[in-house]
């Protein structure tokens, strides 16, 4: 009887040699005359352990990691393939019992790391497409009502209620409507979208199909950043299989309802993560932000009513339509319902993906999951919400992860990315980077963003050089105020968040005395 061995095919694992590990396992098994079945699963999200090799046993899957190709012969010598109960330096025990994973509440990521991402049979065996079958028996308004009742909000940053957006498109006049998935995951420290696309692509396809049924759209587009070639290949392969099996196409499961889906590669610009710039790019034009109104829900892609949601929002829809709105709403706190996939990166010992119900604190994430800094030095600042997110000092780490709680701190949860910096970080340098990033990535349409960011770099350079720092700090605050309230979109409007939070909470790095009176 052959032994089933799982080796991840996620980009993070591939980057550290997963293909070589899989090839070495196959070669070593053949050399020893052993029968093994190698399954290329997705990542479990424990990225510091990649490549994480798992072996099927009657008691569950036993993990070993991080495994290098040179470790494979030693693993076979230790009997890792044969109901392993011995000892090995890389042995992790039952994967499901690893504390980092066991303490999570995996809803959106329930299948991630467990299945072969491109096996539709695997997907169905683990509850896949039950939600679509339910949706096909419901009226569109019922589907929208269920999503609304669940409390699901956009996971791309703005946290707008998903059901309200869908309801607007449902009621908008027009025979032609579209579903657009924003998979232009460009924020620093974020990789949850990529993990979904590479490790469980069918859940995104199913979520988009349900969205199409709900609002009367028959075509959808997944706009994937060009830096994700593996995600694009996985999605295209999954779409082909789903179409062949009747889950996409002109008559979904012979229901008479149709939905077709295609992948479009992004233009390589950060600004195309902004929904209206994304639409411009999808239409073959330069990615420049559109003025609102009209809202994309009323006049979006090609001027038609359009649902634009993030990968995580759409990938969460199937569990709501499968287990019910109340099931999902029972997780979380306040107006932040369900779970948030947190991505832990930067100077952190155990970086990776953590899916938790809203309400967990930053301190818990940093130490109970992350294990503290990778350098062993004290953590100084944590940036949450991408390159335009605020820097939070230790005094704010006991704030629960909740949209409203973060807003009260003048901070954002955004896409759930957390980037950690230890006490060697120079916050004035990081503030300068935020302005420089805006200057480079601005679409150039509005003056506060285009010119303000360029002037911001110059002003911070003068502060760092000690040239009239007190006067330059006043000027920097005025400049941030102009960008905050005068920019056309969040690119310029949110750049002040990292700049001012760094200045407010770490004034000594700007040559200023004490805690600043402007601190939030």
């Amino acid at each position: 009887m052959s032994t089933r061995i799982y080796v991840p095919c996620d980009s993070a694992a591939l980057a550290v040699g997963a293909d070589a590990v899989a090839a070495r396992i196959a070669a070593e098994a053949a050399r020893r005359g052993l029968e093994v079945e190698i399954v290329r699963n997705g990542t479990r999200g424990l990225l510091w352990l990649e490549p994480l090799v798992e072996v099927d046993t009657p008691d569950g899957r036993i993990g070993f990691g991080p495994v290098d190709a040179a470790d494979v012969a030693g693993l076979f010598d230790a009997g890792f393939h044969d109901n392993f109960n011995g000892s090995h330096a890389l042995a992790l025990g039952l994967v499901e019992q690893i504390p980092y994973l066991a303490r999570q509440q995996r809803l959106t990521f329930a299948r991630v790391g467990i299945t072969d991402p491109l096996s539709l049979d695997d997907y169905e065996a683990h509850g896949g497409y039950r939600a679509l079958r339910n949706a096909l028996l419901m009226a569109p308004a019922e589907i929208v009502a269920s999503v609304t009742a669940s409390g699901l909000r956009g996971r791309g940053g703005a946290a707008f209620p998903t059901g309200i957006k869908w309801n607007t498109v449902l009621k908008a006049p027009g025979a032609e409507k579209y579903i657009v998935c924003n998979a232009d995951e460009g924020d620093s420290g974020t990789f949850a979208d990529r993990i979904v696309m590479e490790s469980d692509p069918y859940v995104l396809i199913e979520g988009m199909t349900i969205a199409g049924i709900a609002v009367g759209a028959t075509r959808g587009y997944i706009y994937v950043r060009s830096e994700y070639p593996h995600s694009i290949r996985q999605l295209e392969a999954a779409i082909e299989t789903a179409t062949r099996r009747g889950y996409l196409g002109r008559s979904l499961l012979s229901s008479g309802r149709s939905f077709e889906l295609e992948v479009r590669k992004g233009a390589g610009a950060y600004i195309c993560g902004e929904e209206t710039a994304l639409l411009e790019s999808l239409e073959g034009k330069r990615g420049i932000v559109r003025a609102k109104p009209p809202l994309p829900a009323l006049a979006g892609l090609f001027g038609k009513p359009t649902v634009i949601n993030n990968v995580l929002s759409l990938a969460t829809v199937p569990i709501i339509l499968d287990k019910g709105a109340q099931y999902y709403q029972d997780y979380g706190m306040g107006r932040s319902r369900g779970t948030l996939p947190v991505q832990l990166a930067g100077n952190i010992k155990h970086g990776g993906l953590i899916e938790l119900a809203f309400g967990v604190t930053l301190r818990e994430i940093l130490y109970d999951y992350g294990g503290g800094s990778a350098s062993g030095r004290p953590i100084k600042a944590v940036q949450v919400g991408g390159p335009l997110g605020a820097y939070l000092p230790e005094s704010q780490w006991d704030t629960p992860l909740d949209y409203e709680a973060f807003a009260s701190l003048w901070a954002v949860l955004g896409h759930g990315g957390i980037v950690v910096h230890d006490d060697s970080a120079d916050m004035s340098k990081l503030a300068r980077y935020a302005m420089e990033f805006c200057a480079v990535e601005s679409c150039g349409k509005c003056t506060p963003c285009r010119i303000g960011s360029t002037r911001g770099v110059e002003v911070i350079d003068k502060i760092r050089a000690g040239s009239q720092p007190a006067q330059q700090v006043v000027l920097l605050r005025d400049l941030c105020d102009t960008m905050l309230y005068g920019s056309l979109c969040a690119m310029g409007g949110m750049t002040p968040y990292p700049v001012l939070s760094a200045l407010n909470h770490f004034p000594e790095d700007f040559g200023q005395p004490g805690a600043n009176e402007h601190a939030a």
Side-chain angles (χ1 to χ4, degrees), residues 22-233:
R24 185 65 61 89
I25 289 172
E28 191 66 24
R31 188 180 72 81
R32 297 172 185 243
L34 301 171
E35 286 189 40
V36 299
E37 176 191 355
I38 298 175
V39 177
R40 303 305 299 271
N41 61 318
T43 181
R44 291 275 194 166
L46 287 68
L47 299 187
W48 82 96
L49 292 175
E50 295 291 11
L52 172 61
V53 174
E54 301 178 43
V55 181
D56 226 359
T57 76
D59 297 322
R61 281 154 61 165
I62 294 177
F64 301 83
V67 177
D68 186 81
D71 300 318
V72 171
L75 287 171
F76 274 102
D77 289 340
F80 90 124
H81 60 291
D82 187 21
N83 292 334
F84 178 82
N85 59 6
S87 62
H88 190 281
L90 300 180
L92 302 166
L94 291 171
V95 175
E96 298 285 352
Q97 294 179 8
I98 297 174
Y100 189 96
L101 187 60
R103 293 198 302 265
Q104 296 185 36
Q105 293 91 47
R106 290 213 162 185
L107 303 184
T108 306
F109 287 77
R111 277 172 296 269
V112 168
I114 296 175
T115 61
D116 173 349
L118 293 181
S119 170
L120 189 48
D121 291 336
D122 265 12
Y123 184 67
E124 290 175 318
H126 288 81
Y129 279 117
R130 287 200 304 239
L132 177 60
R133 293 178 188 277
N134 290 341
L136 288 170
L137 299 175
M138 300 166 67
E142 287 182 272
I143 301 173
V144 173
S146 183
V147 173
T148 304
S150 74
L152 177 65
R153 295 166 70 174
R155 296 291 186 259
F160 190 82
T162 303
I164 293 177
K165 183 181 288 188
W166 286 21
N167 193 51
T168 303
V169 178
L170 171 63
K171 292 183 176 179
E176 193 172 17
K177 300 177 183 180
Y178 295 102
I179 308 296
V180 173
C181 174
N182 183 349
D184 193 60
E185 186 176 50
D187 284 348
S188 50
T190 58
F191 42 84
D193 290 358
R194 178 186 61 75
I195 287 178
V196 168
M197 293 185 286
E198 294 179 2
S199 299
D200 194 15
Y202 292 111
V203 77
L204 174 58
I205 294 169
E206 184 178 8
M208 292 187 70
T209 308
I210 292 169
I213 295 169
V215 303
T218 57
R219 178 167 290 275
Y221 297 92
I222 308 175
Y223 186 92
V224 187
R225 67 189 313 234
S226 59
E227 294 87 346
Y228 282 175
H230 190 57
S231 298
I232 292 171
R233 288 195 296 271

Side-chain angles (χ1 to χ4, degrees), residues 272-330:
C272 288
E274 195 280 334
E275 62 179 16
T276 62
L278 184 154
L279 293 177
E280 290 286 296
S281 182
L282 260 181
E283 292 177 3
K285 295 177 275 189
R286 181 184 170 197
I288 296 180
V289 174
R290 295 178 183 177
K292 300 176 186 176
L295 296 172
L298 299 175
L301 187 63
F302 305 120
K304 307 297 183 182
T306 304
V307 167
I308 307 176
N309 283 136
N310 167 265
V311 170
L312 300 179
S313 307
L314 291 161
T316 300
V317 167
I319 197 166
I320 296 169
L321 269 292
D322 178 19
K323 297 194 175 183
Q326 189 62 49
Y327 175 86
Y328 190 75
Q329 194 185 66
D330 283 346

Side-chain angles (χ1 to χ4, degrees), residues 237-256:
I239 288 170
E240 182 182 349
T241 300
T243 302
R244 189 173 65 251
R245 297 274 289 270
Y247 290 110
L248 286 173
R250 292 182 178 263
S251 182
L252 303 170
L253 300 176
S254 303
S255 66

